[in-house]
Amino acid sequence: VIDLAFGPDGKLYVAQFDDASWAAVEIFGDGIGGSVHRCDLATKHCEELASGLPMLTSITFRNDGSLWGTTLSLIAGMGDAVQILP
């Protein structure tokens, strides 16, 4: 887990750098991409919303309620903002 954010719906959104592991990306070079999960803290139920996001490093909500993340920002000149949910 690399980042957490509470959404406008009151749920916790959890970003994972890479679902294989940090070492899979940084040491072995065979990561599978990160993911974002939405968790209801009352029921303790989580669901995957997105996967395969390369080197996902952060998530945030914009004022319009859309969820955005940054990918590949650990590689100079490669970082990008991506919309995860409308």
Side-chain angles (χ1 to χ4, degrees):
V1 172
I2 194 158
D3 200 9
L4 303 169
F6 279 98
D9 58 2
K11 297 196 172 138
L12 179 64
Y13 289 73
V14 180
Q16 295 187 156
F17 176 71
D18 192 274
D19 290 342
S21 73
W22 172 87
V25 174
E26 293 295 320
I27 297 171
F28 304 111
D30 62 355
I32 59 173
S35 60
V36 177
H37 299 258
R38 176 175 46 211
C39 300
D40 184 324
L41 298 180
T43 64
K44 297 181 180 155
H45 176 264
C46 294
E47 63 180 317
E48 185 176 83
L49 300 177
S51 63
L53 300 164
M55 291 186 188
L56 180 63
T57 52
S58 67
I59 55 173
T60 191
F61 284 90
R62 294 182 64 173
N63 290 339
D64 64 3
S66 60
L67 178 62
W68 288 75
T70 55
T71 59
L72 298 169
S73 61
L74 299 179
I75 302 172
M78 292 289 295
D80 196 17
V82 295
Q83 187 172 7
I84 298 168
L85 291 177

